[in-house]
Amino acid sequence: MPVCRVAWPHLFVILLRADSVFLYLSELQSSLLPMVLILGCSLVLPLVLNKEKTWVRTLLGAVSIALALRYIWWRATQTIAPLGLTVECLASWALLALEGAAMVGTISATVMNMRTRNRSDEATNYRDWWGDASRQPRVALLIATYNEEMDVLERTIVGAQFLEHANKEVIVLDDGKRDWLRDYCAQRGVRYICRPINEGAKAGNLNHALSQLAQDATPPEFVAVLDADFVPHRGFLSRGLALFHDPKVGLVQTPQHFFNPDPIQHNLGLHRSYPDEQRYFFDYAQASRDAWGIAFCCGTSSIARWQALQEIRGFPTESITEDFMLTLVLRNAGWSSVYLNEALSEGLAPEGLKEYITQRARWCIGMMQIARSYVGPFARNNLRLRDRWSVLDSGTYWLTTFPFRLAALIFPLLYWYFNITVVNARLAEVLSYFGAYYMWTMLVSQILSKGMLIPFVQDVTQLVAAPQITRAAVSGLFRPKGHKFTVTAKGGDRTRIVYQWRFMWPFALLMVLTVVGLWLGVVSDRFAHFDAGDGKQVILFWTFYNLVVLVLATIACVELPRTEYHVADHPERTRFVATDGTEQTVWVSRLTGDLAEVRGGSFKIGTRGALELAGVGTVECYAIGFSRLITRLQIVPTEAQREALIVKFYTESNIPGVSRGDASLILSDIADRLLKVIFR
C-alpha cells in the first residue's frame, strides 16, 4: 500500500551444508505459517475487496502498521548487539536507527493511503458552472521558459492554442531573452513577455507576468501554468476549471504524464513494462492526499484563482520548489488546493541521468527550505495539523529513504571485511517477522496500486539518486538559504551512448568491494561453521541481493541513444497513393514529426507518394529504407499538417506511457538488457 521505504532482502537463505537441511526445515515450519496465510490472502483479497472503500484501505493499512511495529520491536529487542563500547554495537544500533527512521515514513505513508478521492464525477457535474458562454471566465495560460529549444516549445504553444476553452490567452514568459522566440510568438498570435532581470527564477518569472496582467483592462479570473515541455490535452482547462465551483478552492492540480521514458526506464530497457518513477505519486499518492485535504501543487499543469494569487502576493520565492510552498501559503491564507486525477497534459520526462538527479535534488532542497520557513510544520502560522503532517511526511521521505538505501549497501561489508554482524537473527525469525511484514506490504501495494512498486526496480530507482539526494537533504536542512534554482534541461542531442562516470563510480566501487568481500568470506573459514544464530544467512542473501541492485544501478548510469518515440502510438490503417496513381493499404506502426513506419504494401527506395493520416490529411512522403516487414517513409508535412501532427500526438485524451508494472515482462526486459551488456 505505501511506498515500502524499508525493504531488506533477507527472506530466504542459501543452505551451504546438506546436513543442516532437516534442522532448517523443522525451524521454518512454524515461521512459514504467516507467510503461507498471506500468500493465500493474495489470491483471494484482490477479488473480493473494493479498494476505493475507506474501511477496506484502513483495515489493510492497520494490519500493515501492526506488522511493521511487530517487526521493528523484534529488531530492537532481539537482533541488536549488546550495549558496550564496541564497533559492533555502534554499527548495529546505527543501522537500526536508520531503519527505524525510514519505518516512520513508511507508517506515515500507510496512514495517508487509508483514504482516496476521485473528483472526475465532480468535474463532470460542475462543467460550465458559470452559466452561459458569455460568462465563461477568462484564463491566462502562462508558459514559463528559459532555455528550451524550438521543437520543445512549439508543441506546447500549439497545444495550448487548441484547448477547448475559448476565453483564454496564451502567454509565453521568456527568461532567456530570445529574439527567435519573440518572432515565433508574434507569428502564432501569442503574447510574449520578457523581463529585464531573472531574479526569483521560475517563481520570479511568473510573478513578473502577474504584475503585467494586473495592468490589463480586464485581468484574468484564473491563471494556468505550464512548463515549457508540457502539452495540455484539449480538456485541460474545461475539466480543471470545473472544480472552482467551490469558492474556497484556490488551486487545482492535475497529474503529470510523460510521452517519453525516464532515464531509469530507458537505460534498463523497461519502457514497455514498468511505469515512470512518478506514476505512483500522481496516480495514487496525490489522490490519497486529496482525500485528506492536503494535495499540493506540482508546478506545471495547475490552475490557480487570480483572487487567491493576488491575496498572497503571487508565487512564493523563499523556496526553489515554489509549487509545494504555494500550496501551504494558500492554505495559510484560507484557500484550499484540490486534485483532479485525469490525464490532462503530457510532457517530457528528464532524458538524461544528470538532469533526472538534479531535478530530484532540487525538490529535496526545496522541501528542506519549506520545513524551515514561516509555513513550516513547527512555525507559528494558520496551518492545520494535517498540513503540518504533510510537510513532515515529505521531509521524512527525503531525509530517511535515501540514506537508508545507501546504508543497506554498506553495512553488509562490515561483516565481510571486519567480521562485524549488524543483524544477528535466525532464519526462522526473519521469515516470521520481516517476511510476514514484507509480504503483506507487497500484497496491499498490489491491491491498491496494481504493480506500481516492483521491489528491486524501486530500489534501483531510489539508489541511483541516493548519494546526491542525501547530500542535498543535509545541506538544505542545515543551510536552507543560498541554493540556486537549476533548470532541468530538455531536448538536445541524445543520439549517442553516454557513460555517466560521476554517478556510476560509487556503485561500481561498492560492487567490487562486495564481490571481493564475498570471495574472502568463501575462501576463508568464516562460513565453515554455518551457525544459524549469528546472522550469516541474512548477510549472505543480503549480499547477493545488493549485487543485483548494484549491477542494475551501474547499467542505469549508461545512457542509451534516444529517438523520438510516442509511447501512446497504436497501429492505424490507411492508404498510400504513389505518384503514378497506384494505391496500397498499409498499417502505420510508428509515426513522428518526420517519419512514418508502415507494414504491408510493396515499396522501393525512393518511391514517392502521399500517406493519408487521420486528423492530418494527405501528407507527401517517400520511401527511405526497409527493416524486415517495415518500410520507413520520410514524410514532408506542410506547416498546417505539422501543427495537426502535434495536436494528434499530444493533445488527445489518452494516457501515455505504462500505467502498471508487469513482473514477468520486467524480468524479460532486464534479462535482455543484461545480455546486450555482456555480449555487446
Side-chain angles (χ1 to χ4, degrees), residues 589-605:
S589 58
R590 181 184 173 211
L591 182 65
T592 70
D594 57 7
L595 180 71
E597 292 184 353
V598 300
R599 293 178 180 270
S602 177
F603 298 87
K604 294 181 179 179
I605 297 293

Side-chain angles (χ1 to χ4, degrees), residues 324-562:
F324 194 119
M325 192 168 187
L326 172 64
T327 308
L328 297 172
V329 175
L330 286 171
R331 181 68 253 178
N332 193 50
W335 297 95
S336 63
S337 299
V338 299
Y339 183 65
L340 179 58
N341 194 7
E342 295 181 2
L344 296 172
S345 67
E346 55 188 88
L348 192 62
E351 297 173 290
L353 196 64
K354 177 182 178 182
E355 293 79 13
Y356 175 88
I357 293 174
T358 298
Q359 184 185 66
R360 280 143 185 79
R362 185 181 77 233
W363 294 345
C364 174
I365 291 175
M367 180 52 60
M368 299 304 108
Q369 291 174 323
I370 292 171
R372 295 284 304 273
S373 73
Y374 70 96
V375 287
F378 304 112
R380 287 190 174 184
N381 49 49
N382 298 323
L383 296 181
R384 303 163 300 177
L385 182 60
R386 70 183 72 175
D387 300 311
R388 301 172 191 272
W389 169 39
S390 172
V391 179
L392 286 172
D393 176 80
S394 299
T396 300
Y397 172 73
W398 294 112
L399 281 169
T400 63
T401 303
F402 299 92
F404 179 75
R405 187 64 60 211
L406 292 174
L409 297 174
I410 295 171
F411 275 82
L413 299 178
L414 297 178
Y415 175 80
W416 298 114
Y417 289 96
F418 306 106
N419 200 26
I420 295 174
T421 302
V422 292
V423 179
N424 190 356
R426 301 178 69 86
L427 173 63
E429 295 174 321
V430 172
L431 292 176
S432 176
Y433 289 93
F434 177 78
Y437 158 71
Y438 188 72
M439 282 192 66
W440 180 262
T441 301
M442 289 297 100
L443 166 62
V444 175
S445 172
Q446 184 66 24
I447 292 174
L448 299 185
S449 63
K450 297 295 183 182
M452 283 287 180
L453 304 176
I454 305 297
F456 66 92
V457 182
Q458 181 193 358
D459 290 347
V460 172
T461 300
Q462 294 177 343
L463 178 61
V464 165
Q468 289 74 24
I469 288 179
T470 299
R471 183 167 60 248
V474 175
S475 175
L477 185 64
F478 293 101
R479 187 175 62 85
K481 297 183 179 180
H483 299 279
K484 294 183 178 180
F485 184 100
T486 304
V487 177
T488 304
K490 302 291 175 68
D493 181 16
R494 306 286 179 179
T495 60
R496 58 190 180 89
I497 295 178
V498 177
Y499 294 88
Q500 292 289 358
W501 300 110
R502 172 190 170 192
F503 305 118
M504 183 193 299
W505 76 262
F507 310 132
L509 176 61
L510 284 172
M511 184 166 55
V512 171
L513 290 174
T514 301
V515 170
V516 172
L518 182 61
W519 179 79
L520 291 173
V522 171
V523 300
S524 70
D525 63 350
R526 193 165 296 169
F527 271 91
H529 303 286
F530 198 62
D531 184 0
D534 66 358
K536 289 179 181 177
Q537 310 104 316
V538 177
I539 295 293
L540 187 61
F541 184 81
W542 190 357
T543 298
F544 280 114
Y545 186 93
N546 282 350
L547 280 175
V548 174
V549 173
L550 285 167
V551 167
L552 294 178
T554 303
I555 294 174
C557 293
V558 180
E559 296 186 351
L560 300 178
R562 287 178 181 259

